[in-house]
Amino acid sequence: MPTLDALIERLPDRPDPGELLAGFVPPPRFAEKRFEDYVPDPRFPSQRAAVERLRGVAASLHAGSLDGWMRRVRAVVGRGTPRGGGTYLDGGFGVGKTHLLAALWNAAPEPRAYLSFDELVYTIGLLGVGGTREAFRGRRLVAVDEWELDDPGNLKLALAFLRGALEDGVHVATTSNTVPDELGHGRFSQKDFRAEIEELASAFEVVRVQGEDYRHRHFEADPGRRYFLPREAVLAAARAAGPGALHAGFPELLSALGRVHPIRYAALAARMDALFVDGLRTVPTLPDALRWVHFVDKVYDDAVPFAASSETDLGALFPAEFLRGPYGKKFSRCLSRMEELLGEQGGAERRAAG
């Protein structure tokens, strides 16, 4: 069984740009998603409407035109962003936006790319705006999951990317928990960047996906302790899981995540056959909480089996002020994904023990 330090030491100090770009495909949990296996909730007609709209986007990409999109490319708005040149899936967490984005990617023609917003920002930092534009030039579709603006720097990078991509004829599709006009709300002064936010928002056609968290169709919306295992059971499961499983204490894991750039969390998750954590407790600081959210996203995307013991209810993992604050949607999404992960693995362990 590898140690946490050993896993971190095996990570490359700096990703190879070619390998990074080649890896921009949907993660294992979403790799095979199709429109056909998305089941719209009849209570929310916007879900079926979103499927039909995205089918139309895919068909238009194959046909080489997106509802007169090239005409809009020539209709410059603001400082150069085409109006409505991309697709923006807006909705709460757990309504299937990532499923739909992956389905669009699978239905779209080659060449194409699929990455998270954090990976996009990292790529721009690695290659520069011009280098990133060149790397994606010629792609028919770039799908970006979880588009979020945490600071003005991200806003400027995102806008520079959009300007170049849309001018080059690349269709950008993205998901978010926040409508474009409200991006950055509570995280930086929107009034100081109103022109940039309006320009960014004008680059997308917004497709609403309303509904409840689909996980709560399968799991009770009660993030208590019932998803956790006793410490002894976690240790036994880790020993039985084989040499590729990671077993770590929660404070140790949080500390390790602070020593690793978040862009490397995907590589870290990919090296784990399973994850077993002892002693989950309330996360003490906002930076630790945000790092944990990003790590859970990668564990979830890679469908890594995850079990844990805990000193608190799942709903108390983040302080109440974090859940009420500007990153509250991130933390709520994290709890929802943890609920699913823990429910999957905890149920399997309980069945094995019984």
Side-chain angles (χ1 to χ4, degrees):
M1 186 182 300
T3 66
L4 187 55
D5 286 341
L7 281 178
I8 291 174
E9 287 174 4
R10 294 174 198 163
L11 296 175
D13 290 333
R14 183 181 177 89
D16 175 78
E19 291 180 6
L20 186 68
L21 293 170
F24 288 157
V25 297
R29 185 176 289 272
F30 299 100
E32 303 301 323
K33 297 300 185 185
R34 300 292 191 276
F35 292 128
E36 292 76 15
D37 52 42
Y38 180 84
V39 182
D41 188 330
R43 296 173 298 168
F44 301 98
S46 64
Q47 294 186 11
R48 183 173 296 280
V51 172
E52 294 309 311
R53 180 66 193 114
L54 293 180
R55 286 183 187 273
V57 171
S60 297
L61 288 174
H62 279 281
S65 171
L66 183 59
D67 298 337
W69 178 53
M70 290 307 296
R71 289 192 297 274
R72 290 201 295 269
V73 169
R74 299 186 184 98
V76 176
V77 176
R79 295 174 57 193
T81 301
R83 180 179 299 277
T87 303
Y88 190 104
L89 293 173
D90 166 60
F93 53 87
V95 297
K97 300 187 305 297
T98 301
H99 181 142
L100 290 172
L101 186 69
L104 173 62
W105 188 89
N106 278 311
E110 296 279 8
R112 58 201 175 178
Y114 182 108
L115 66 163
S116 70
F117 183 73
D118 288 325
E119 288 169 333
L120 174 62
V121 171
Y122 182 82
T123 301
I124 296 173
L126 183 67
L127 303 180
V129 172
T132 302
R133 178 175 182 175
E134 184 62 33
F136 288 121
R137 182 175 284 132
R139 306 289 177 108
R140 302 300 300 279
L141 171 71
V142 174
V144 184
D145 196 27
E146 298 296 346
W147 189 282
E148 300 180 63
L149 300 180
D150 290 340
D151 57 60
N154 281 359
L155 170 59
K156 291 182 178 297
L157 290 178
L159 193 52
F161 163 75
L162 271 178
R163 287 171 182 157
L166 298 181
E167 287 171 7
D168 290 340
V170 179
H171 186 75
V172 179
T174 188
T175 69
S176 183
N177 296 317
T178 306
V179 293
D181 287 340
E182 293 298 318
L183 286 167
H185 180 70
R187 303 179 191 182
F188 58 87
S189 175
Q190 284 188 307
K191 66 180 181 180
D192 293 337
F193 299 93
R194 175 51 55 189
E196 289 87 348
I197 292 172
E198 289 178 352
E199 182 186 345
L200 187 149
S202 74
F204 291 106
E205 172 196 0
V206 177
V207 177
R208 294 297 306 277
V209 188
Q210 297 168 309
E212 64 181 23
D213 186 343
Y214 80 90
R215 300 173 186 97
H216 293 158
R217 302 180 198 173
H218 308 290
F219 301 100
E220 238 178 88
D222 174 24
R225 297 196 186 192
R226 66 191 182 90
Y227 292 104
F228 299 112
L229 299 174
R231 188 181 298 268
E232 297 78 13
V234 171
L235 178 57
R239 287 171 175 167
L246 175 68
H247 179 232
F250 188 53
E252 173 194 4
L253 184 52
L254 282 183
S255 176
L257 294 178
R259 302 195 303 271
V260 178
H261 192 288
I263 194 65
R264 301 167 75 192
Y265 291 177
L268 186 60
R271 285 164 169 77
M272 300 175 187
D273 291 341
L275 174 63
F276 299 91
V277 179
D278 280 325
L280 285 175
R281 63 195 68 172
T282 302
V283 182
T285 69
L286 185 59
D288 278 336
L290 292 172
R291 282 191 286 266
W292 180 251
V293 167
H294 191 69
F295 178 65
V296 167
D297 281 344
K298 299 311 173 186
V299 170
Y300 180 82
D301 285 346
D302 262 28
V304 177
F306 174 41
S309 66
S310 180
E311 300 175 8
T312 186
D313 289 347
L314 179 57
L317 181 66
F318 302 117
E321 60 268 26
F322 289 5
L323 291 168
R324 292 193 300 265
Y327 300 99
K329 290 181 179 179
K330 280 190 174 186
F331 296 134
S332 294
R333 184 187 74 230
C334 179
L335 292 176
S336 175
R337 289 184 163 186
M338 286 182 68
E339 186 178 8
E340 181 174 353
L341 286 165
L342 292 165
E344 290 171 346
Q345 186 64 18
E349 298 299 337
R350 290 186 182 94
R351 287 191 296 273

